[in-house]
mmCIF file of all heavy atoms in Angstrom:
data_model
loop_
_atom_site.group_PDB
_atom_site.id
_atom_site.type_symbol
_atom_site.label_atom_id
_atom_site.label_comp_id
_atom_site.label_asym_id
_atom_site.label_seq_id
_atom_site.Cartn_x
_atom_site.Cartn_y
_atom_site.Cartn_z
ATOM 1 N N VAL A 40 -27.282 195.582 -78.032
ATOM 2 C CA VAL A 40 -28.359 196.134 -77.210
ATOM 3 C C VAL A 40 -27.661 196.909 -76.086
ATOM 4 O O VAL A 40 -26.663 196.429 -75.537
ATOM 5 C CB VAL A 40 -29.246 194.992 -76.649
ATOM 6 C CG1 VAL A 40 -30.244 195.512 -75.637
ATOM 7 C CG2 VAL A 40 -29.982 194.283 -77.783
ATOM 8 N N ASP A 44 -30.154 198.156 -70.948
ATOM 9 C CA ASP A 44 -31.427 197.540 -71.327
ATOM 10 C C ASP A 44 -31.875 196.621 -70.195
ATOM 11 O O ASP A 44 -31.092 195.830 -69.660
ATOM 12 C CB ASP A 44 -31.263 196.739 -72.626
ATOM 13 C CG ASP A 44 -32.609 196.310 -73.184
ATOM 14 O OD1 ASP A 44 -33.190 195.318 -72.662
ATOM 15 O OD2 ASP A 44 -33.086 196.957 -74.126
ATOM 16 N N ARG A 45 -33.152 196.700 -69.849
ATOM 17 C CA ARG A 45 -33.667 195.916 -68.720
ATOM 18 C C ARG A 45 -33.669 194.418 -69.004
ATOM 19 O O ARG A 45 -33.664 193.615 -68.068
ATOM 20 C CB ARG A 45 -35.072 196.408 -68.348
ATOM 21 C CG ARG A 45 -35.078 197.848 -67.834
ATOM 22 C CD ARG A 45 -36.481 198.299 -67.494
ATOM 23 N NE ARG A 45 -37.051 197.498 -66.423
ATOM 24 C CZ ARG A 45 -37.032 197.833 -65.130
ATOM 25 N NH1 ARG A 45 -36.477 198.954 -64.740
ATOM 26 N NH2 ARG A 45 -37.591 197.036 -64.238
ATOM 27 N N GLY A 46 -33.684 194.054 -70.284
ATOM 28 C CA GLY A 46 -33.570 192.632 -70.618
ATOM 29 C C GLY A 46 -32.227 192.101 -70.155
ATOM 30 O O GLY A 46 -32.130 191.011 -69.582
ATOM 31 N N PHE A 47 -31.177 192.872 -70.392
ATOM 32 C CA PHE A 47 -29.822 192.492 -69.979
ATOM 33 C C PHE A 47 -29.673 192.555 -68.453
ATOM 34 O O PHE A 47 -29.150 191.636 -67.827
ATOM 35 C CB PHE A 47 -28.810 193.421 -70.661
ATOM 36 C CG PHE A 47 -27.418 193.304 -70.115
ATOM 37 C CD1 PHE A 47 -26.672 192.138 -70.282
ATOM 38 C CD2 PHE A 47 -26.845 194.355 -69.419
ATOM 39 C CE1 PHE A 47 -25.389 192.027 -69.752
ATOM 40 C CE2 PHE A 47 -25.568 194.251 -68.891
ATOM 41 C CZ PHE A 47 -24.832 193.084 -69.060
ATOM 42 N N GLY A 50 -33.341 190.393 -66.922
ATOM 43 C CA GLY A 50 -34.132 189.362 -67.614
ATOM 44 C C GLY A 50 -35.557 189.853 -67.823
ATOM 45 O O GLY A 50 -36.498 189.057 -67.909
ATOM 46 N N ASP A 51 -35.699 191.174 -67.911
ATOM 47 C CA ASP A 51 -37.024 191.811 -67.985
ATOM 48 C C ASP A 51 -37.477 191.807 -69.450
ATOM 49 O O ASP A 51 -37.455 192.843 -70.131
ATOM 50 C CB ASP A 51 -36.901 193.233 -67.430
ATOM 51 C CG ASP A 51 -38.251 193.877 -67.175
ATOM 52 O OD1 ASP A 51 -39.284 193.262 -67.512
ATOM 53 O OD2 ASP A 51 -38.261 195.008 -66.632
ATOM 54 N N SER A 52 -37.857 190.626 -69.934
ATOM 55 C CA SER A 52 -38.192 190.487 -71.352
ATOM 56 C C SER A 52 -39.064 189.254 -71.552
ATOM 57 O O SER A 52 -39.183 188.413 -70.656
ATOM 58 C CB SER A 52 -36.908 190.347 -72.177
ATOM 59 O OG SER A 52 -36.232 189.154 -71.832
ATOM 60 N N VAL A 53 -39.651 189.172 -72.726
ATOM 61 C CA VAL A 53 -40.421 187.981 -73.119
ATOM 62 C C VAL A 53 -39.941 187.555 -74.499
ATOM 63 O O VAL A 53 -39.316 188.356 -75.208
ATOM 64 C CB VAL A 53 -41.943 188.259 -73.150
ATOM 65 C CG1 VAL A 53 -42.473 188.479 -71.748
ATOM 66 C CG2 VAL A 53 -42.289 189.447 -74.039
ATOM 67 N N MET A 83 -46.535 194.341 -69.084
ATOM 68 C CA MET A 83 -46.029 195.085 -70.249
ATOM 69 C C MET A 83 -47.109 195.035 -71.316
ATOM 70 O O MET A 83 -47.654 193.957 -71.566
ATOM 71 C CB MET A 83 -44.824 194.328 -70.856
ATOM 72 C CG MET A 83 -43.460 194.747 -70.408
ATOM 73 S SD MET A 83 -42.236 193.487 -70.933
ATOM 74 C CE MET A 83 -42.059 193.851 -72.661
ATOM 75 N N ASP A 86 -45.600 197.345 -77.483
ATOM 76 C CA ASP A 86 -45.725 198.687 -78.082
ATOM 77 C C ASP A 86 -45.489 198.710 -79.593
ATOM 78 O O ASP A 86 -45.377 199.784 -80.176
ATOM 79 C CB ASP A 86 -44.825 199.703 -77.341
ATOM 80 C CG ASP A 86 -43.335 199.433 -77.526
ATOM 81 O OD1 ASP A 86 -42.968 198.492 -78.261
ATOM 82 O OD2 ASP A 86 -42.534 200.186 -76.944
ATOM 83 N N VAL A 113 -37.591 188.585 -79.433
ATOM 84 C CA VAL A 113 -37.369 188.961 -78.029
ATOM 85 C C VAL A 113 -37.840 190.409 -77.839
ATOM 86 O O VAL A 113 -37.494 191.274 -78.646
ATOM 87 C CB VAL A 113 -35.858 188.894 -77.670
ATOM 88 C CG1 VAL A 113 -35.638 189.205 -76.192
ATOM 89 C CG2 VAL A 113 -35.267 187.549 -78.040
ATOM 90 N N VAL A 114 -38.632 190.638 -76.803
ATOM 91 C CA VAL A 114 -39.069 192.002 -76.494
ATOM 92 C C VAL A 114 -38.641 192.323 -75.077
ATOM 93 O O VAL A 114 -39.054 191.624 -74.138
ATOM 94 C CB VAL A 114 -40.610 192.140 -76.526
ATOM 95 C CG1 VAL A 114 -41.005 193.608 -76.541
ATOM 96 C CG2 VAL A 114 -41.220 191.388 -77.676
ATOM 97 N N THR A 115 -37.818 193.346 -74.926
ATOM 98 C CA THR A 115 -37.439 193.731 -73.563
ATOM 99 C C THR A 115 -38.188 194.999 -73.165
ATOM 100 O O THR A 115 -38.721 195.705 -74.011
ATOM 101 C CB THR A 115 -35.922 194.002 -73.420
ATOM 102 O OG1 THR A 115 -35.659 195.359 -73.804
ATOM 103 C CG2 THR A 115 -35.091 193.049 -74.260
ATOM 104 N N ARG A 116 -38.181 195.277 -71.866
ATOM 105 C CA ARG A 116 -38.891 196.486 -71.400
ATOM 106 C C ARG A 116 -38.094 197.747 -71.756
ATOM 107 O O ARG A 116 -38.447 198.843 -71.357
ATOM 108 C CB ARG A 116 -39.169 196.398 -69.895
ATOM 109 C CG ARG A 116 -40.412 197.168 -69.472
ATOM 110 C CD ARG A 116 -40.591 197.187 -67.961
ATOM 111 N NE ARG A 116 -40.761 195.884 -67.362
ATOM 112 C CZ ARG A 116 -41.937 195.307 -67.088
ATOM 113 N NH1 ARG A 116 -43.046 195.939 -67.366
ATOM 114 N NH2 ARG A 116 -41.984 194.105 -66.540
ATOM 115 N N GLY A 117 -37.027 197.567 -72.510
ATOM 116 C CA GLY A 117 -36.291 198.721 -73.030
ATOM 117 C C GLY A 117 -35.196 199.214 -72.095
ATOM 118 O O GLY A 117 -34.897 198.588 -71.063
ATOM 119 N N VAL A 118 -34.610 200.319 -72.484
ATOM 120 C CA VAL A 118 -33.477 200.887 -71.748
ATOM 121 C C VAL A 118 -34.010 201.662 -70.540
ATOM 122 O O VAL A 118 -34.860 202.543 -70.698
ATOM 123 C CB VAL A 118 -32.685 201.829 -72.687
ATOM 124 C CG1 VAL A 118 -31.584 202.557 -71.936
ATOM 125 C CG2 VAL A 118 -32.121 201.043 -73.859
ATOM 126 N N SER A 131 -38.615 204.027 -71.491
ATOM 127 C CA SER A 131 -38.239 204.017 -72.915
ATOM 128 C C SER A 131 -39.114 203.052 -73.683
ATOM 129 O O SER A 131 -39.777 202.197 -73.096
ATOM 130 C CB SER A 131 -36.790 203.564 -73.057
ATOM 131 O OG SER A 131 -35.977 204.406 -72.320
ATOM 132 N N PRO A 132 -39.095 203.168 -75.021
ATOM 133 C CA PRO A 132 -39.802 202.157 -75.805
ATOM 134 C C PRO A 132 -39.167 200.785 -75.585
ATOM 135 O O PRO A 132 -38.006 200.684 -75.188
ATOM 136 C CB PRO A 132 -39.573 202.606 -77.259
ATOM 137 C CG PRO A 132 -38.999 203.963 -77.198
ATOM 138 C CD PRO A 132 -38.441 204.185 -75.830
ATOM 139 N N GLN A 133 -39.945 199.747 -75.853
ATOM 140 C CA GLN A 133 -39.411 198.390 -75.737
ATOM 141 C C GLN A 133 -38.332 198.162 -76.794
ATOM 142 O O GLN A 133 -38.318 198.837 -77.823
ATOM 143 C CB GLN A 133 -40.551 197.377 -75.910
ATOM 144 C CG GLN A 133 -41.493 197.391 -74.708
ATOM 145 C CD GLN A 133 -42.906 196.947 -75.015
ATOM 146 O OE1 GLN A 133 -43.187 196.422 -76.086
ATOM 147 N NE2 GLN A 133 -43.801 197.176 -74.072
ATOM 148 N N THR A 134 -37.452 197.211 -76.534
ATOM 149 C CA THR A 134 -36.445 196.816 -77.522
ATOM 150 C C THR A 134 -36.941 195.534 -78.190
ATOM 151 O O THR A 134 -37.260 194.566 -77.490
ATOM 152 C CB THR A 134 -35.091 196.521 -76.830
ATOM 153 O OG1 THR A 134 -34.720 197.659 -76.044
ATOM 154 C CG2 THR A 134 -34.003 196.195 -77.835
ATOM 155 N N TRP A 135 -37.042 195.540 -79.518
ATOM 156 C CA TRP A 135 -37.543 194.369 -80.259
ATOM 157 C C TRP A 135 -36.397 193.773 -81.064
ATOM 158 O O TRP A 135 -35.882 194.417 -81.980
ATOM 159 C CB TRP A 135 -38.678 194.772 -81.202
ATOM 160 C CG TRP A 135 -39.976 195.028 -80.503
ATOM 161 C CD1 TRP A 135 -40.308 196.144 -79.798
ATOM 162 C CD2 TRP A 135 -41.117 194.168 -80.462
ATOM 163 N NE1 TRP A 135 -41.600 196.020 -79.303
ATOM 164 C CE2 TRP A 135 -42.125 194.814 -79.709
ATOM 165 C CE3 TRP A 135 -41.400 192.897 -80.991
ATOM 166 C CZ2 TRP A 135 -43.375 194.259 -79.454
ATOM 167 C CZ3 TRP A 135 -42.650 192.342 -80.752
ATOM 168 C CH2 TRP A 135 -43.618 193.010 -79.987
ATOM 169 N N VAL A 136 -36.026 192.562 -80.704
ATOM 170 C CA VAL A 136 -34.931 191.881 -81.406
ATOM 171 C C VAL A 136 -35.481 190.624 -82.073
ATOM 172 O O VAL A 136 -36.215 189.846 -81.452
ATOM 173 C CB VAL A 136 -33.806 191.489 -80.411
ATOM 174 C CG1 VAL A 136 -32.700 190.711 -81.115
ATOM 175 C CG2 VAL A 136 -33.231 192.723 -79.739
#
Side-chain angles (χ1 to χ4, degrees):
V40 172
D44 191 281
R45 296 179 62 95
F47 169 67
D51 193 355
S52 64
V53 291
M83 265 167 77
D86 67 2
V113 183
V114 194
T115 85
R116 209 186 298 265
V118 174
S131 303
Q133 289 154 11
T134 306
W135 285 77
V136 177

